[in-house]
Amino acid sequence: MLISRLRLENWRNFRELDVPLRDVTYILGANASGKSNLLDVFRFLRDVGKSVGGGLSAAVNSRGGFDDLRSLHSPSASEVLVDVELSEDADEQPLWRYVLGFRSLENGMLAVSREEVARKGEILLRRPGPDDIQDDALLSQTHLEQTQANARFREIAAFFSGIRYLHLVPQLLKYPERAGVRSLDDDPFGAGFLEKLAGTDDSVRRARLEMIEAFLRTAVPGFDTLQFVKDERGNPRLRMLHSHSRAAEGWRSEESFSDGTLRLIGLLWSLQEGGPVLLLDKPELSLNEGIAERLPEVMERLRNGSSKRSQLVICTQSEALLSNPGIDGRGVIALEVGEQGSRGRVLNTQEMEALDAGFSISEAVLPKLRPKFLNRLGLKE
Amino acid sequence: MYWNVATEDELSESVAERLLRSLSPPVELVNRFRRRGFGYLRKNAGKWRSLARTQAVLLLTDLDRAACPPGLISEWFGEHTRMPDRLLVRVAVREAESWLLADHEAMRSLLDSHSGLPDAPDTLPDPKQTLLTLARQAPREVRLGLVRQEGTRLRQALRYNSLLSEWVFTEWEPERAAKRSESLRRAIHRIKERALEFSGK
């Protein structure tokens, strides 16, 4: 199952958005066009659906509160709306639809203004319903977050709970004590990543690390061996050996890995992990261009190799990453910034024609998203 | 008709865009294809042809050291192949800089001087060096933006592309420049001709 459509109203940069999504979706846009804010919608759904430590209020509060979430371009009384469709396949009719609208009341409380679940077009839930009208305190929570209330649509609650976000910050992994936190939440920003490795079944971990090792041998000059170990205090560590050094003195642990190597390890691990949706925020960061160029194919291969194929949603503005002409243009969303905030769109006919002619996304689409330093008036665009 | 421009550097891109911008009625520019370096345009010859089946492509390149424009075109696209109508390959003789130097009025406002401006810029062996040499006499801001000295050689400075591009859009007049550059005059003529042919399509 995958998220096949996303519709937003008043979410951060987006006053309105309505885009289709595919197995692999690339979200492109200049700096501050809302790429990361768009990815955050999916994490938001996951956070709302969490029965423990989650829920609507927690999800909104951890994002700075309702006013930070609501689009600057919308009137303060307006609701924030998230509407997703889930399908078995990108080209199939939706199986599920989940709609969540919420607003801030005059007393500052958060209230569900709309919650709807439909399966194959049949409405299973529509709120506010009679109970909510009797007792409006009920509207402080979604049914998604309540195990008792979501029985008929637990499948989508489970789907949302499996959404993962990868944004490995090498500094947090290398110096967890400086960051002051071991793990920010379920997402492997830093030290949480090593703990995740530790918590994985031995044989599975070995197989995944072997695959990573094989890739690093082709991508990192001099790299030879990658190992997972526990140090004398029992903390999980990664260490690697370079081919030119002797084992006795050559082992180096993760704090001396380069940022690019650490990011690559995190990425390759997450891709093998599977799960419904994997969100990747600028996977090209700190990577050599030659590696970034190969990422689309590596992601595809690993995704196909996993029994639980993840849907990938990737934010990027990397020319190298998008230079592979094999990228499916139907899975590209371009974000453009206008006076009413950001807008997202699929590729237009002219861009698809350019892809048909053999050009890559980085040639056919990226130039339009470049910031314009020059005032180029006169030509209609 | 949708138009694209394809070039190998920022300055040529601005010139190509400026040429389209002077068309009337205005045309819609859908994309700017640009990769630095020799060979990008040539390597993609098949793709330009293919794209030109549905959209217009203005491909602008420099003659550089090639002998003549027809020679360059047949070398890139094949000797006897018929070019698609929507693919317009124009070659600046020898570089986009020749076309810039051909508009003396605009040059004067950039350099604050008119001494040494070439009467026949198409015949210059190295128009960019000529432009850099002239830029040494320019007011400080323009001079520092355009040219730096490296040993005995003049090299382009960091703002070369952005400063000249801005000037191309604000000061440079293609029609005026065409009076001193035959290669530009012909380019403008062909672009107008095609735009007229395609208008309404």
Side-chain angles (χ1 to χ4, degrees), chain A residues 89-280:
Chain A
D89 185 278
D91 298 312
E92 274 177 33
Q93 287 297 310
L95 188 59
W96 291 100
R97 178 170 179 204
Y98 181 75
V99 186
L100 172 61
F102 55 96
R103 55 160 47 102
S104 175
L105 301 176
E106 276 175 20
N107 59 10
M109 296 294 283
L110 205 59
V112 173
S113 47
R114 191 173 158 195
E115 187 175 27
E116 263 178 49
V117 180
R119 187 176 195 278
K120 292 187 175 170
E122 182 203 344
I123 305 281
L124 302 183
L125 173 74
R126 177 169 276 160
R127 300 179 70 203
D131 294 349
D132 299 315
I133 291 162
Q134 292 243 315
D135 177 3
D136 60 9
L138 293 176
L139 287 172
S140 64
Q141 289 191 325
T142 63
H143 280 198
L144 184 72
E145 71 202 70
Q146 300 170 51
T147 323
Q148 282 173 332
N150 72 17
R152 296 179 73 198
F153 51 95
R154 201 156 290 154
E155 196 180 337
I156 52 174
F159 182 92
F160 290 155
S161 74
I163 293 175
R164 291 169 307 126
Y165 173 69
L166 177 78
H167 185 62
L168 189 78
V169 180
Q171 281 66 24
L172 288 183
L173 194 146
K174 292 176 183 175
Y175 315 108
E177 67 287 356
R178 274 192 224 168
V181 278
R182 294 289 292 160
S183 169
L184 291 177
D185 53 21
D186 303 347
D187 298 315
F189 277 95
F193 178 68
L194 288 175
E195 272 153 25
K196 180 178 266 212
L197 257 61
T200 304
D201 181 76
D202 280 352
S203 62
V204 174
R205 183 178 57 234
R206 199 170 311 123
R208 287 184 190 161
L209 288 178
E210 269 170 24
M211 187 270 131
I212 295 173
E213 197 178 60
F215 184 78
L216 291 181
R217 276 195 200 117
T218 67
V220 180
F223 170 87
D224 186 69
T225 312
L226 180 70
Q227 267 187 0
F228 175 83
V229 289
K230 294 219 164 160
D231 66 14
E232 58 278 16
R233 277 186 271 158
N235 291 325
R237 307 298 293 265
L238 279 172
R239 59 178 198 168
M240 66 178 185
L241 188 67
H242 273 77
S243 50
H244 50 74
S245 50
R246 283 180 296 136
E249 61 204 32
W251 285 104
R252 308 200 315 185
S253 58
E254 75 281 341
E255 64 263 9
S256 63
F257 292 10
S258 78
D259 288 2
T261 304
L262 276 173
R263 281 222 171 82
L264 207 47
I265 292 171
L267 174 67
L268 296 172
W269 176 275
S270 306
L271 285 165
Q272 295 181 85
E273 218 170 20
V277 182
L278 178 61
L279 311 168
L280 300 170

